Amino acid sequence: MLKELFVENFALVERARVPFGPGFNVLTGETGAGKSLVLDALGAAVGHRVSPEMVRRGASAARVEAAFEIDEGSTLARRLEALGFPPEDGLLVLTREIVAGGRGRSRINGRLVSTTELAQVGSLLVDIHTQHESQRLMQPAVQLELLDAFAGEQALALVREVGDAWEAMERLSAELEALRTGERQRLQELDLLRFQVEEIEAARLQPGEEAAWMEEHARLTHAARLQELLGLALDLLGGSGTGETNALSALAAAGRALEEAASLTPALGSLAQELAAQIESLSELSRAVRRYLEQCEPDPERLAEVEARLALLERLKRKYGPTVEAVLAYADEARARLASLEGASDRLAVVERELEQAQARYDEAARRLSSIRREAAHRLAEAIEAELRQLAMPRATFSVEIEPQPPGPSGTERVVFQFSANPGEPPRPLARIASGGELSRTMLACRAVLAEADPVPVLVFDEPDAGLGGRAAQAVAERLARIGRQRQVLVVTHLPQVASMADHHLAVRKHEDERTTRIEIEALAGDQRVAELARMLGGTDVTETARRHASELLRMAGEAKRAS
């Protein structure tokens, strides 16, 4: 609820701290005293448009501050948290500074915010009904929400089901569009990857094979020269058996000499053994040279095969990686990508099927919701018409028109509340009601019926009793008091019948002197309240008769509230 409104340098209000209580609050005062300025200040605090001209003359800026108590864990608290403005210790403070000739500032619990954010939060807290403002209740989207809430829990469950199905349809449609848009690219990439994998697999690559192929290519390319050089080396080593002087025969002669010398002196035995080992090593070297020489036969056909293989390896490396190992790694990656792309076609079928299922869920839930809405619309219109008859509009008609619209997150229809004050007069949407009094009473009738359905905690009415008296005025007072049992209500009124039914009474006084005009707001109780009601009954001269009448009004109001 609205706990307190602080106003400073706003229009004629120099400085005022206005307390509010739960239930039904009224503001009264002489005509022109400035009662509506309190509503204007509250409107400014919750983000309504306000002119810099509202800054009090002689001041550089005006400030309005509204403090709200929020029940922890309530739906309202959760909504505020979702917007990023959780209450602190159950309190939410909205502050607005209006600067004369400059840009103002807005804050929520001390945090600087934009006016748009302030208004977004303010719309969850206060709904102000004046003869000059666009009310929240006039918005078709809000009317649809209220109709659903009036229809009951089954309708609200279907609203959630419709919304969930719509969200699923939107998500799946976007995914399906992306899959279909990429289908051509997917097929092109699939063809390319298949070709690349097949090309690499056909080569039957082996890690490290390139070095072997290059060595063989060198041997075959230089076969004739290798034969010449290796043959000479073999002759010099003695491995060919044709040379008259070669290394092996010379070493063999040296070995025989050392063996004979060792027989004469044992100290030379180790030298003879070492030379024998060298001779064996050289013999093995000679045999290795002979084996390599035997492989050095010129073979043009084999050379062509080797060159073809090396050319293939080079081509693959240019396309897929700097080495044979890199080419093989690319093939592994391409196979994985192939599997992913081939699975995409399966995903396309899955998404199409899931979208059909979501569409079916949406259609069924929307159909059932439409049926419930149409039945509830008739009941709601009857209930509001009954309220209008009690508010001095016995011939007024009210209808809840349900109009088809393209499917959306809230269903397949929109709702428009329509009103006609007199027979023969065509019904018009609430926003087009010309008479301020008719509009206020129609809003009051709607609020009386929808008090439980609308979550906004603070409702403000500016003279909903304008032009009324007698039983009609009493009916307005009783409706306001009844709404006050479920919501906090703030009403500007001139009627003592209405003021007497309030739980809390505030009086607005205007004080004038030669230099300034200022407004003060005072909470009334006891004799002060009796005096104010007497003033409302009898004018400026408060007589004893008026006081007795005021006391009687308060007594009767108390009885009426207890009886209800």
Side-chain angles (χ1 to χ4, degrees):
M1 72 168 193
L2 174 63
K3 183 178 181 181
E4 185 178 81
L5 178 67
F6 175 78
V7 186
E8 185 176 45
N9 292 326
F10 186 86
L12 298 178
V13 182
E14 184 176 8
R15 185 181 181 88
R17 194 174 295 275
V18 188
F20 295 95
F24 182 13
N25 296 254
V26 293
L27 283 105
T28 63
E30 296 281 1
T31 300
K35 300 180 294 298
S36 294
L37 282 179
V38 178
L39 305 192
D40 292 339
L42 177 58
V46 297
H48 291 199
R49 293 183 64 181
V50 61
S51 169
E53 294 178 358
M54 296 302 289
V55 176
R56 181 176 169 82
R57 188 174 62 182
S60 60
R63 186 163 72 97
V64 291
E65 185 173 279
F68 295 86
E69 286 184 344
I70 311 294
D71 292 335
E72 293 185 7
S74 64
T75 300
L76 176 59
R78 290 194 296 272
R79 287 187 174 186
L80 292 168
E81 288 171 6
L83 290 175
F85 301 103
E88 297 179 3
D89 298 324
L91 199 65
L92 196 74
V93 180
L94 276 55
T95 306
R96 182 90 171 270
E97 184 178 1
I98 304 105
V99 178
R103 292 188 61 183
R105 287 176 288 274
S106 303
R107 289 181 173 83
I108 298 178
N109 275 357
R111 190 176 111 197
L112 201 64
V113 297
S114 68
T115 306
T116 300
E117 289 175 309
L118 185 71
Q120 187 177 21
V121 171
S123 69
L124 298 179
L125 299 169
V126 179
D127 193 4
I128 299 178
H129 296 274
T130 71
Q131 297 181 15
H132 307 292
E133 290 191 47
S134 173
Q135 286 87 29
R136 177 176 175 272
L137 194 56
M138 292 182 181
Q139 301 170 16
V142 173
Q143 293 172 4
L144 183 63
E145 290 178 7
L146 294 176
L147 174 62
D148 291 336
F150 177 82
E153 188 55 41
Q154 185 180 9
L156 294 176
L158 285 170
V159 169
R160 291 190 291 271
E161 188 175 343
V162 165
D164 291 344
W166 179 264
E167 183 179 345
M169 288 164 56
E170 291 281 280
R171 173 177 53 79
L172 291 167
S173 295
E175 183 177 357
L176 187 61
E177 180 65 23
L179 287 171
R180 286 173 174 168
T181 300
E183 184 66 5
R184 178 180 299 177
Q185 293 88 336
R186 187 184 72 85
L187 293 175
Q188 291 174 346
E189 188 176 358
L190 274 172
D191 286 344
L192 177 61
L193 288 171
R194 288 193 186 106
F195 170 80
Q196 291 174 335
V197 170
E198 290 171 1
E199 183 180 38
I200 295 171
E201 288 178 345
R204 300 181 181 277
L205 301 178
Q206 298 296 324
E209 71 169 280
E210 187 175 17
W213 287 111
M214 293 183 69
E215 193 280 330
E216 183 177 3
H217 180 266
R219 187 175 68 246
L220 291 171
T221 301
H222 305 292
R225 180 58 176 162
L226 286 171
Q227 283 182 327
E228 180 182 347
L229 294 172
L230 293 175
L232 175 60
L234 197 58
D235 283 343
L236 294 173
L237 287 171
S240 65
T242 59
E244 296 180 357
T245 302
N246 55 58
L248 282 174
S249 60
L251 287 174
R256 289 191 294 272
L258 279 176
E259 288 176 355
E260 185 177 348
S263 65
L264 298 176
T265 172
L268 295 175
S270 61
L271 293 176
Q273 292 175 358
E274 184 177 349
L275 182 56
Q278 295 293 333
I279 291 172
E280 178 59 29
S281 177
L282 192 59
S283 296
E284 178 57 34
L285 176 62
S286 178
R287 287 191 292 273
V289 172
R290 182 183 295 281
R291 286 194 298 273
Y292 200 92
L293 178 61
E294 291 171 354
Q295 298 176 18
C296 289
E297 290 293 331
D299 188 344
E301 291 183 1
R302 179 60 181 171
L303 177 60
E305 292 176 5
V306 171
E307 288 180 339
R309 182 65 177 180
L310 286 172
L312 173 62
L313 296 182
E314 189 63 29
R315 185 171 68 253
L316 293 176
K317 288 195 300 179
R318 283 198 304 268
K319 294 170 71 174
Y320 306 117
T323 64
V324 170
E325 288 73 19
V327 174
L328 290 170
Y330 180 87
D332 291 338
E333 294 172 1
R335 291 188 194 96
R337 176 63 176 161
L338 264 175
S340 173
L341 290 174
E342 287 169 346
S345 61
D346 297 335
R347 179 59 186 164
L348 186 67
V350 169
V351 172
E352 287 176 338
R353 185 169 60 254
E354 290 179 350
L355 181 57
E356 290 177 0
Q357 294 169 350
Q359 181 71 61
R361 290 197 307 273
Y362 178 89
D363 292 342
E364 175 60 18
R367 182 190 63 77
R368 292 165 56 201
L369 180 59
S370 294
S371 176
I372 291 175
R373 281 171 171 170
R374 293 184 187 283
E375 186 274 332
H378 180 70
R379 289 191 291 112
L380 178 58
E382 286 187 339
I384 292 176
E385 276 192 0
E387 288 290 332
L388 289 172
R389 286 193 289 272
Q390 298 297 320
L391 296 174
M393 289 190 283
R395 308 186 75 181
T397 59
F398 189 93
S399 63
V400 180
E401 299 297 326
I402 295 181
E403 302 174 352
Q405 70 170 7
S410 58
T412 56
E413 54 269 323
R414 68 191 294 265
V415 166
V416 180
F417 289 179
Q418 293 194 328
F419 169 85
S420 173
N422 302 293
E425 182 180 309
R428 294 188 296 270
L430 294 187
R432 295 175 57 192
I433 297 177
S435 167
E438 289 178 354
L439 178 59
S440 294
R441 278 177 281 163
T442 303
M443 293 295 106
L444 180 56
C446 291
R447 285 300 178 190
V449 174
L450 297 168
E452 293 186 8
D454 193 354
V456 176
V458 182
L459 305 178
V460 180
F461 294 92
D462 186 9
E463 299 188 27
D465 46 19
L468 298 182
R471 184 69 192 105
Q474 185 61 33
V476 168
E478 291 173 359
R479 266 41 177 198
L480 290 168
R482 188 172 71 186
I483 297 172
R485 290 197 291 269
Q486 297 166 310
R487 297 282 184 273
Q488 186 184 32
V489 178
L490 174 58
V491 176
V492 171
T493 181
H494 284 286
L495 294 184
Q497 297 98 316
V498 174
S500 66
M501 291 288 289
D503 301 306
H504 305 278
H505 193 152
L506 299 164
V508 181
R509 317 285 193 205
K510 182 162 67 172
H511 300 278
E512 297 177 317
D513 56 35
E514 295 180 355
R515 292 181 301 171
T516 61
T517 301
R518 68 184 189 280
I519 288 174
E520 294 179 354
I521 301 109
E522 181 181 10
L524 304 181
D527 290 341
Q528 290 177 313
R529 189 174 184 193
V530 171
E532 176 64 10
L533 288 175
R535 181 200 63 76
M536 297 173 72
L537 285 163
T540 55
D541 295 328
V542 177
T543 65
E544 190 59 33
T545 300
R547 284 181 177 275
R548 286 196 300 270
H549 191 183
S551 296
E552 181 65 11
L553 271 179
L554 286 172
R555 186 190 65 77
M556 293 174 61
E559 290 180 355
K561 286 193 286 186
R562 285 191 294 272
S564 61

